[in-house]
């Protein structure tokens, strides 16, 4: 996996636990997961921007 051995991975995980603390790791993991999910969603959407006014916006004008 990316040229990293088990020792290097354990060392990196240990440093992460020291920085964030064991109780914050689930929050950090879920935030990272949401960021990756949003990035994938944004990269798969079309490049065009829809500027057509909706019917709801016409009523407020």
């Amino acid at each position: 996996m990316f040229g990293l051995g088990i020792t290097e991975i354990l060392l990196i995980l240990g440093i992460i636990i020291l920085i964030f603390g064991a109780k914050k790791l689930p929050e950090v993991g879920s935030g990272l997961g949401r960021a990756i999910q949003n990035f994938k969603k944004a990269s798969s959407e079309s490049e065009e921007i829809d500027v057509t006014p909706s019917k709801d916006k016409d009523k407020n004008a």
Side-chain angles (χ1 to χ4, degrees), residues 33-56:
R34 277 181 285 177
I36 292 171
Q37 183 181 18
N38 287 336
F39 178 76
K40 286 182 180 179
K41 186 171 116 179
S43 65
S44 67
E45 290 179 354
S46 65
E47 299 277 329
E48 298 176 11
I49 299 173
D50 185 19
V51 293
T52 308
S54 65
K55 293 180 182 180
D56 293 336

Side-chain angles (χ1 to χ4, degrees), residues 2-52:
F2 304 114
L4 296 177
I6 191 73
T7 308
E8 290 88 0
I9 293 173
L10 289 175
L11 182 65
I12 292 169
L13 287 175
I15 292 170
I16 290 172
I17 289 174
L18 284 174
I19 291 172
F20 293 109
K23 293 184 180 181
K24 284 279 191 180
L25 282 182
E27 294 174 23
V28 171
S30 66
L32 184 61
R34 277 181 285 177
I36 292 171
Q37 183 181 18
N38 287 336
F39 178 76
K40 286 182 180 179
K41 186 171 116 179
S43 65
S44 67
E45 290 179 354
S46 65
E47 299 277 329
E48 298 176 11
I49 299 173
D50 185 19
V51 293
T52 308

